[in-house]
Amino acid sequence: MRPLRALFLGAPGSGKGTQVSRLVRDFPHIAALSSGDVLRQNIVRKTPVGIKAASIIEQGGLVPDETMVNLIKEELSAHNWLNSKASWLLDGFPRTAPQAPPLDALLKEYSAGLNFVVELKVPEEVILDRIENRYVHLPSGRVYNLTFNPPKVAGRDDVTGEPLSKRPDDTPEVFKKRLDKYRDMTMPLKEYYDKQGILKSIEGETSDIIYPKLKKLIVETFHD
Ligand code: G5P
Ligand code: MG
């Protein structure tokens, strides 16, 4: 397969993390990074960024663009993604229009520009139902849902057996705010990528409906 450098857009709870983990399972050479996971790991480690981000995230706000750009740039180089051979998936960054050009400029230096941006479109009423039942394994970012994909042992991560936790921003009030923010912030970002001709969208009420469509699109677009 040709190198894939993808960005996942989609409302909170639309299943970005779920799709990304399925792709990584089916295509082991593809790496993945979620900006939300990076922030949550910084919060656990109590880094300066984590301390600043904690209250913003809890209230359903967005971390400042400059902080995000610097944080993700560091991650990209730490993961050895800055070369034209690597295949990777970004989940949740860029999320505002001002975050996109600095990423483009950096990737261009390595001839490794984004070549696939996909928005997952899931009806909002379907999403709201999912969130109350979400549990996460913070160190890995693995996501569970008590009805859709429950852990094998209640309250424990399938791989490590470590305890699962609830995200503080998954309350109904904060979640509503995050959905509103997504609608406002993403329109200009989508326009930005649409102009580059790399924006796709996939609709579906469940992740099981979306995944085969996503996988097919990627295989067709990136096969040798
Ligand atoms: P995050 O962590 O990026 P969001 O809000 O973008 O958070 P989120 O909530 O992580 O997105 P997701 O990854 O799209 O959602 O969805 P998911 O976790 O895969 O699925 C949601 C739940 O539904 C799970 O429990 C899953 O098991 C279940 N599920 C999946 N599919 C189905 C299905 O078909 N059926 C059912 N029944 N269930 C299903 O960002 C968090 C915060 O960090 C900051 C912001 O404050 C943000 O709010 N942040 C940034 N700030 C500024 N700029 C950035 N670039 C930032 N990035 C993060
Ligand atoms: Mg996520």
Side-chain angles (χ1 to χ4, degrees):
M1 245 166 94
R2 290 192 292 118
L4 166 70
R5 295 179 291 272
L7 165 64
F8 280 75
L9 302 175
S14 59
K16 301 180 294 295
T18 302
Q19 299 298 334
V20 163
S21 65
R22 290 182 186 189
L23 285 172
V24 169
R25 177 198 64 198
D26 288 352
F27 303 97
H29 72 287
I30 302 182
L33 185 70
S34 148
S35 56
D37 287 347
V38 173
L39 288 167
R40 283 183 285 278
Q41 285 153 11
N42 272 270
I43 292 172
V44 170
R45 298 204 314 271
K46 297 198 165 56
T47 65
V49 167
I51 290 166
K52 202 164 131 188
S55 60
I56 298 176
I57 293 181
E58 256 176 62
Q59 290 164 31
L62 288 176
V63 175
D65 290 331
E66 201 190 333
T67 310
M68 287 312 300
V69 168
N70 291 335
L71 183 68
I72 301 300
K73 276 185 174 176
E74 280 167 24
E75 291 286 329
L76 297 182
S77 90
H79 284 75
N80 281 328
W81 284 15
L82 295 175
N83 65 76
S84 60
K85 301 263 159 48
S87 282
W88 42 256
L89 313 170
L90 271 176
D91 159 3
F93 175 91
R95 163 172 325 214
T96 67
Q99 293 175 6
L103 176 69
D104 273 357
L106 174 70
L107 295 176
K108 213 170 148 196
E109 282 177 42
Y110 298 89
S111 305
L114 283 175
N115 51 18
F116 189 80
V117 178
V118 63
E119 186 186 33
L120 308 180
K121 289 192 165 172
V122 181
E124 280 188 15
E125 58 280 10
V126 173
I127 293 179
L128 285 167
D129 256 12
R130 297 176 178 177
I131 291 310
E132 273 178 53
N133 287 326
R134 170 160 64 184
Y135 283 81
V136 294
H137 177 242
L138 272 176
S140 67
R142 273 185 287 277
V143 180
Y144 299 89
N145 178 284
L146 295 186
T147 53
F148 180 66
N149 60 331
K152 289 187 187 119
V153 176
R156 299 274 161 184
D157 175 49
D158 286 353
V159 177
T160 62
E162 289 167 351
L164 300 177
S165 45
K166 196 89 190 112
R167 281 172 46 170
D169 54 347
D170 273 352
T171 64
E173 306 78 55
V174 175
F175 196 72
K176 181 99 197 2
K177 255 197 193 162
R178 289 164 56 200
L179 277 177
D180 292 344
K181 215 144 223 136
Y182 179 77
R183 256 183 263 114
D184 295 348
M185 302 310 281
T186 315
M187 201 52 93
L189 184 64
K190 284 196 293 188
E191 275 167 23
Y192 178 89
Y193 289 121
D194 200 21
K195 277 195 193 127
Q196 295 186 6
I198 55 174
L199 180 67
K200 314 269 178 207
S201 81
I202 302 185
E203 288 188 48
E205 292 212 351
T206 70
S207 292
D208 290 346
I209 292 174
I210 289 183
Y211 186 64
K213 297 189 201 176
L214 173 67
K215 190 173 169 184
K216 184 163 176 267
L217 182 61
I218 289 179
V219 169
E220 281 172 2
T221 314
F222 291 91
H223 74 82
D224 289 310

